[in-house]
Amino acid sequence: GIPARARVRFPAPGTLSCTESGRRPAMACCNRDDDDESGSVTTSTASDSENEDCGDLKAKVVENLPPVRMMILPMLCVFQGYACMVGPAQQKFKAELGIGQNGGLARTFTQAAVFVHYGKLVARLGHDIIFGFLSPMTRVYVSMGLVFIGTIIPPLFVFDLHQRWIGFVFMSYGLTGIGLGVFEVTYLAVITPMGKLTKAWAIMGIPLAFGTVNILGLLCTSEGMPVPYLYWYIVALIPVGMLVLHVYGKGLQDTGVVVGHGHGGSVPQKGFGTAILEWRLWLPLLFPHLVGKAMVNFVMENATPVNYYVYNAKEVPLFGPTTTDHLVPHDLFFAAVGICVLVGDMSSRRLTASLSLATYRSNAIVLTASVLCSLVGFWLESMAIGVLSLAAIFLAFWGNGLVYGASAKFIDNELPKEMNLVGYSLWCFVGDLGAIVAGVVVDYVRNWVCGGVEYQYECHSHN
């Protein structure tokens, strides 16, 4: 696949010359595209030195572009669909199906829920094969359509039509996972020509999506809003995200930079097979980021559902499973969990966006800190104490945000440019391996945390 390209708009021919009074080649040195009548340019034919100057100039223009903040919305819309698959909405979906915490049907539901991670795993690298005939931008639209279909299944068939077929879980989670897997890596590559500030805003859509569903959504359900309304809101917003992408993805006319569509691009991207043959150029550089991604994804994707199946009574004790005072309503507690997710994930992403991370050592420090945060969070989760679980989830998502922000910056700045899409694909693929392991062992970790005991306000065998 080849990502979108950035083209710099220059004055019409004759208004500036390539060299004036012996000065360095000006912006006008770069010639027009044959297929563009607007004055866009791609390369200079004057000389190698002028061509290099023009390339450097365009790189600086793209690097210093102001952010297109609306590009946060497509990411928000898609990841709201993901949030309802792994957040408290999963517990409510399971309860609506009449499935408890034990027995064969419960284990089947757990494995069906892991299909969201299987779908992501297959799509991370498989999109270049399955959707290889589509341009990257078209793949983004197709992936958003898959997430739309996946998220409409629970409210339509289970909550509204009251169907109890377990196959709906496999279909919903599998389609959403495939859509998410294609969307994340392709969208990050497609918006690269819009500049680092736009990408920094876009990745903020992930914690904001979880915050919207797990904070505002749960506050609404705690006040009596039916759960299907939350699902329908998520479904309705996905077409809005597609419309925003269509409008703002066409170009940045006010800044003079155009994001092209189709298979043309300033840096053609390597296919995965070719990139593997040239692994020495990029894989050793990326390896620490792969390890960090796998570790934080395991903790993040395990701590989130385990909490929902440990604190599954109508009220949650804040200071231990055996206490019967200092109780908080279930949905309010998980709204607080959502706040910890939002603050931890978003603040750490903003931190990495503000850091230069110009050396390999600085990247190693950030990755080490993120893994340590995640491990401490996993340890705190095992204590089954409400207030410590809030700290645990904050640390887990703080670590995730550190890795996400640092790795996105590293892939864009340090890997060979032609390996951008492959780098993102493999990085997300390895993270999904950690998420799959986390999802498969959810029931085992939950039983380990509960110690085989059912308390008055924790570790109920039913939802």
Side-chain angles (χ1 to χ4, degrees), residues 275-304:
I276 288 298
L277 295 177
E278 301 175 5
W279 64 272
R280 291 179 180 85
L281 298 176
W282 61 279
L283 189 55
L285 296 173
L286 190 60
F287 183 76
H289 292 268
L290 300 180
V291 175
K293 180 66 170 171
M295 294 290 290
V296 299
N297 269 36
F298 172 84
V299 175
M300 178 181 65
E301 301 292 0
N302 187 268
T304 304

Side-chain angles (χ1 to χ4, degrees), residues 155-177:
L156 178 60
F157 291 102
V158 177
F159 286 95
D160 289 354
L161 298 180
H162 306 291
Q163 301 297 312
R164 298 293 181 264
W165 182 45
I166 192 69
F168 286 129
V169 185
F170 287 93
M171 294 169 59
S172 174
Y173 280 61
L175 288 172
T176 302

Side-chain angles (χ1 to χ4, degrees), residues 158-367:
V158 177
F159 286 95
D160 289 354
L161 298 180
H162 306 291
Q163 301 297 312
R164 298 293 181 264
W165 182 45
I166 192 69
F168 286 129
V169 185
F170 287 93
M171 294 169 59
S172 174
Y173 280 61
L175 288 172
T176 302
I178 293 171
L180 182 69
V182 175
F183 174 85
E184 187 176 8
V185 296
T186 311
Y187 187 69
L188 288 173
V190 162
I191 66 173
T192 296
M194 288 180 149
K196 64 179 183 180
L197 295 180
T198 295
K199 184 169 288 188
W201 271 92
I203 66 175
M204 289 294 178
I206 299 175
L208 189 60
F210 278 86
T212 302
V213 173
N214 297 341
I215 300 173
L216 296 180
L218 285 183
L219 288 175
C220 291
T221 57
S222 69
E223 293 297 320
M225 185 189 79
V227 174
Y229 288 12
L230 179 59
Y231 276 100
W232 284 119
Y233 153 76
I234 294 169
V235 170
L237 209 64
I238 293 175
V240 176
M242 298 173 77
L243 179 62
V244 168
L245 179 60
H246 174 72
V247 172
Y248 289 86
K250 285 183 177 178
L252 305 174
Q253 301 295 341
D254 292 337
T255 64
V257 175
V258 179
V259 178
H261 300 270
H263 293 280
S266 57
V267 182
Q269 295 295 287
K270 297 282 188 180
F272 187 73
T274 303
I276 288 298
L277 295 177
E278 301 175 5
W279 64 272
R280 291 179 180 85
L281 298 176
W282 61 279
L283 189 55
L285 296 173
L286 190 60
F287 183 76
H289 292 268
L290 300 180
V291 175
K293 180 66 170 171
M295 294 290 290
V296 299
N297 269 36
F298 172 84
V299 175
M300 178 181 65
E301 301 292 0
N302 187 268
T304 304
V306 165
N307 276 331
Y308 299 130
Y309 298 128
V310 170
Y311 306 109
N312 59 349
K314 292 184 177 180
E315 294 177 300
V316 176
L318 291 179
F319 299 108
T322 60
T323 60
T324 56
D325 54 1
H326 299 97
L327 303 176
V328 177
H330 175 275
D331 284 1
L332 285 180
F333 175 79
F334 280 103
V337 169
I339 292 173
C340 293
V341 168
L342 178 65
V343 174
D345 206 342
M346 185 169 284
S347 60
S348 57
R349 289 171 196 249
R350 291 299 297 169
L351 175 62
T352 54
S354 66
L355 298 175
S356 64
L357 298 178
T359 66
Y360 208 72
R361 182 173 179 271
S362 62
N363 278 269
I365 291 173
V366 170
L367 293 174

